[in-house]
Amino acid sequence: MTIRGKVVAITGASSGIGEATARHLADLGAVVVLGARRTDRLDRLVTEIEAAGGQAAAVRVDVTDPEDLRSLVTVAVERFGRLDVLVGNAGVSSISPVADLDTKGWSAMIDVNLKGILHGIAAALPVFRRQGSGHLVTVVSTSGLKIVPTQAVYAGTKNAVRTLLEGLRQESTDGTLRTTSISPGYVRTELIDNAVDDPTARAQAQQHMATLGLDPLSVARAIAFTIDQPDDVEIGDLTIRPTRQG
Ligand code: NDP
């Protein structure tokens, strides 16, 4: 089985990389179960996918609540019979030097970027074990590969997820669980709009992103590539960045 017919749940499917991934996987014949807080956007996306002949469902998910992740997985299993892939994509970024002591932003990044992934694992793993197969894909970041000022905490959350998945992989070498960490560089999404408080710095960052950032579809294609492998092939880490990114 490659992508066609697979049931794929995606967190953070209401915009950016998650939305592009939902569209792309649905185009390739996957059944997609979409989670995020902005359900109006998810409902529109479901309507579009169904109008194009695909299958999709939407669930209100706040990844900081473990119960919401259980609901996402339950909808996949009860409506479509199984869950083949969980794409843990929901994320937030709050960019500032550590010395600015943005404790609220730190907590949000830890709660969404790290604990949100743990909650997804807690919900999906029992189903994967029962089925005898499953695939966890997480969207981490090149911020964790090249550490730069103002992104220390964001990078820390992404590298914590990278470490978590490698540990889980080491514990799961019976051939039933695949784990993948995708590290995108700059991608043109809404992430930056909420990442910087100072309006001037935000405008600069948005301008930078607009000229350099990848189309989110590029990351969606990379995610599809990792899913579209035979069961005995695991793409563990994949880095995708603009060719001109330093
Ligand atoms: P967007 O801001 O466009 O998308 C973020 C998504 O996460 C939205 O769908 C949002 O949905 C969701 N989200 C945020 N908080 C929560 C929450 N508490 N519960 C559920 N969903 C939540 O940005 P991107 O598409 O860029 O971000 C996707 C992932 O890619 C993130 O993990 C980000 O860190 C990562 N990334 C992005 C890069 C970039 O340059 N854009 C580079 C490297 C990694 P809603 O608000 O509706 O809940």
Side-chain angles (χ1 to χ4, degrees), residues 110 126 141 163 179 192-193:
I110 291 166
S141 175
T163 303
T179 57
I192 200 71
D193 300 346

Side-chain angles (χ1 to χ4, degrees), residues 232-246:
D232 62 340
V233 176
E234 177 186 72
I235 306 293
D237 289 279
L238 191 154
T239 303
I240 171 168
R241 59 166 83 81
T243 310
R244 291 183 297 124
Q245 180 173 329

Side-chain angles (χ1 to χ4, degrees), residues 7-230:
V7 180
V8 184
I10 305 167
T11 66
S14 58
S15 62
I17 293 169
E19 179 184 352
T21 301
R23 282 184 207 284
H24 185 56
L25 294 181
D27 282 349
L28 296 174
V31 177
V32 289
V33 184
L34 314 177
R37 294 163 306 175
R38 290 172 292 177
T39 49
D40 52 332
R41 288 189 179 212
L42 296 183
D43 291 341
R44 270 203 304 275
L45 190 50
V46 168
T47 304
E48 283 176 37
I49 288 170
E50 287 178 342
Q55 276 185 287
V59 183
R60 189 194 183 277
V61 172
D62 183 332
V63 296
T64 65
D65 184 346
E67 191 54 47
D68 283 7
L69 271 303
R70 277 196 286 275
S71 299
L72 183 72
V73 170
T74 300
V75 167
V77 173
E78 288 187 351
R79 269 195 66 181
F80 303 113
R82 52 190 292 114
L83 176 71
D84 295 296
V85 187
L86 174 64
V87 181
N89 163 74
V92 292
S93 173
S94 193
I95 292 175
S96 65
V98 175
D100 282 4
L101 308 182
D102 171 25
T103 52
K104 210 166 143 229
W106 300 346
S107 293
M109 287 187 280
I110 291 166
D111 287 348
V112 176
N113 301 356
L114 174 55
K115 290 174 80 177
I117 296 292
L118 283 166
H119 296 155
I121 290 173
L125 215 50
V127 174
F128 291 165
R129 293 281 180 239
R130 204 163 57 237
Q131 293 172 168
S133 71
H135 188 178
L136 278 168
V137 178
T138 58
V139 180
V140 290
S141 175
T142 56
S143 295
L145 301 175
K146 180 183 174 188
I147 313 296
V148 297
T150 74
Q151 296 185 24
V153 180
Y154 177 70
T157 62
K158 295 299 187 178
N159 279 349
V161 171
R162 205 187 304 277
T163 303
L164 169 66
L165 252 68
E166 176 58 13
L168 180 59
R169 187 187 78 77
Q170 294 283 351
E171 292 168 3
S172 319
T173 51
D174 63 354
T176 60
L177 179 71
R178 297 195 291 175
T179 57
T180 301
S181 295
I182 309 268
S183 297
Y186 295 124
V187 187
R188 285 193 311 272
T189 68
E190 297 172 17
L191 191 75
I192 200 71
D193 300 346
N194 303 312
V196 187
D197 272 346
D198 174 59
T200 312
R202 183 167 58 241
Q204 271 173 359
Q206 284 168 328
Q207 176 60 30
H208 188 58
M209 192 61 97
T211 51
L212 188 62
L214 293 176
D215 185 320
L217 176 60
S218 311
V219 183
R221 282 195 297 256
I223 291 172
F225 170 76
T226 71
I227 297 171
D228 194 24
Q229 300 292 323

